[in-house]
Amino acid sequence: MGRGVGSEGRGLRRRWHGGGVLPWDVARELAHAAATPLEAVSRGLNDAGGTVLATPLVSPVAVPPVDRAAMDGYAVCGAGPWRIVGHVGASCDAQVVLTAGEACSITTGAAVPTGATSVVRDEDAVLIGGLVDGPSEPGRHIRRAGEECAVNETLLPAGVVVDPAVLGVAASIGLNRLTVIPQPRVAAVVTGDELVHRGPSGPGRVRDAIGPMLPGLIARAGALAGPVTHLPDNRKSLVDTLRAADADLILVSGSSASGPADHLRPALNALGAELIIDGVACRPGHPQALARFADGRLVVGLPGNPFAALAAFLTVAVAAIRRMRGLPLPALMVAPVPGGLACHPRSTRLVPVRVTAQGAVPVGHGGSAMLRGVAAADALAVVDPGPASAVAARLLPLDPGAQPWAV
């Protein structure tokens, strides 16, 4: 058996005193608590994009290390006009010294000569023979040494996603490598005898819409997607695939319910997996599951209907992936719902909406087998169970890489 969900997960379970099916919020938090951050590694800057800082980003140097010109123009000393005595380029190592009434042409990024009091940019400079004149407020257009950061200054805390700007900052302070939490590897398995992968649906045949959707969802969630594996409704095939999967998280679509063709739970049992989530009280997406193998690999069971599979991915898989990346589970912002949304008495409703200046507006086509509504939507309105209509709802972004927003 696996390690169990830990004290945090057990606490979440104690908060709810029902049977096996969990409320939507509890399932989301439990999936996050059940995962474990991946071990930190050292990565070169070319390979660190999309990872998460495992340690704070600390500058080993001052930036800039010396006073530098912020503009192309003329470094000047004192009041003008100034006599032009030379040139300083960005790659020039020569030490130039200016005295009162002297100037030298200079390029952006070049070290400002000793004695310079300001830089007159090219477009403000007036040239008269060997003299230059122009506005020269003291310190103007000079980047002072240490202006961006000082030696040993912490620039970013641990837990920041390494995006292009972070890579640029790391390079600017002279780093070649970063200590990061890598992106988890996610395998996707789509099951179903009825599925076809080219052309339209027909009698007894359904075009697979989940397989083409999963790689993009995995990537937007900050994980690495492997090829999608397609399996028939066969228990042995599923057991063999799960046993051999070389991934931190395995998604299995189409076998998570309790019908005769749904083999996920028997396969997990045969492999000694610990079942952590066995159904979630949400519509769509009820028959979803989360399990863990003794080696730490997680398995997420997704329903076979496309919108239901997407809802389960956003509920359970994204929460687990965020924890694997060392990221917290973000709170969802609340938006008004003009006209209200009907509540289900026992389950959380997930409704495709467009986010407008007036609030969250339903777009329709929200059946569990439909993707038309979510394709036109920005978010899912999370409608808590209740006896009446909801006039406000939390917003779950449909893009798993986006941050929740407020209206």
Side-chain angles (χ1 to χ4, degrees), residues 7-407:
S7 59
E8 185 179 356
R10 289 192 296 270
L12 288 169
R13 282 177 168 170
R14 284 196 298 267
R15 272 173 34 196
W16 184 71
H17 305 290
V21 177
L22 295 175
W24 184 82
D25 285 287
V26 174
R28 184 169 175 259
E29 293 178 41
L30 184 56
H32 187 262
T36 302
L38 300 183
E39 185 176 349
V41 297
S42 175
R43 289 273 177 88
L45 298 189
N46 289 340
D47 300 317
T51 63
V52 174
L53 291 178
T55 58
L57 185 65
V58 178
S59 178
V61 297
V63 178
V66 297
D67 291 353
R68 294 192 187 278
M71 294 281 181
D72 292 342
Y74 295 85
V76 301
C77 180
W82 304 272
R83 181 170 57 91
I84 302 173
V85 298
H87 171 75
V88 178
S91 61
C92 180
D93 294 329
Q95 296 296 315
V96 178
V97 178
L98 297 179
T99 59
E102 292 181 333
C104 67
S105 60
I106 195 167
T107 57
T108 301
V112 173
T114 300
T117 54
S118 67
V119 171
V120 178
R121 59 181 187 167
D122 273 333
E123 49 266 50
D124 295 331
V126 178
L127 297 177
I128 306 172
L131 299 177
V132 62
D133 202 358
S136 60
E137 302 171 26
R140 183 71 169 167
H141 301 314
I142 294 178
R143 291 187 63 207
R144 296 300 183 187
E147 180 179 280
E148 184 166 355
C149 66
V151 178
N152 294 325
E153 183 176 351
T154 298
L155 308 186
L156 294 169
V160 171
V161 176
V162 180
D163 62 14
V166 174
L167 292 172
V169 169
S172 73
I173 60 177
L175 298 182
N176 299 317
R177 304 187 71 82
L178 293 171
T179 301
V180 297
I181 298 175
Q183 295 170 281
R185 299 164 301 144
V186 178
V189 179
V190 177
T191 68
D193 291 336
E194 76 283 8
L195 297 180
V196 293
H197 309 292
R198 294 181 63 85
S201 299
R205 291 289 182 265
V206 177
R207 177 65 186 267
D208 172 31
I210 297 174
M213 183 170 59
L214 288 178
L217 287 172
I218 293 166
R220 290 299 301 152
L224 300 176
V228 177
T229 299
H230 298 277
L231 295 179
D233 290 320
N234 179 279
R235 185 175 304 179
K236 183 179 184 305
S237 297
L238 183 56
V239 168
D240 291 343
T241 299
L242 290 174
R243 181 185 288 115
D246 183 18
D248 303 298
L249 176 67
I250 307 163
L251 303 174
V252 180
S253 170
S255 294
S256 64
S258 56
D262 295 305
H263 300 296
L264 178 59
R265 285 164 179 79
L268 292 172
N269 185 62
L271 293 169
E274 174 193 13
L275 192 59
I276 298 170
I277 295 174
D278 188 9
V280 177
C282 67
R283 295 181 177 225
H286 160 73
Q288 54 186 290
L290 175 68
R292 178 165 46 209
F293 291 126
D295 58 12
R297 292 177 301 155
L298 294 180
V299 179
V300 171
L302 305 177
N305 278 321
F307 181 19
L310 173 59
F313 180 89
L314 296 174
T315 300
V316 172
V318 169
I321 289 170
R322 286 189 67 88
R323 182 63 180 272
M324 289 179 172
R325 301 180 70 203
L327 296 174
L329 191 61
L332 304 182
M333 303 302 178
V334 177
V337 181
L341 280 170
C343 298
H344 187 276
R346 296 173 301 279
S347 296
T348 297
R349 293 188 64 213
L350 302 174
V351 181
V353 294
R354 292 285 296 176
V355 181
T356 72
Q358 290 71 44
V361 179
V363 298
H365 303 285
S368 64
M370 300 180 183
L371 288 176
R372 176 179 172 179
V374 293
D378 301 310
L380 298 181
V382 180
V383 184
D384 294 327
S389 293
V391 296
R394 288 171 294 162
L395 300 178
L396 180 66
L398 280 164
D399 180 349
Q403 291 297 317
W405 61 88
V407 175

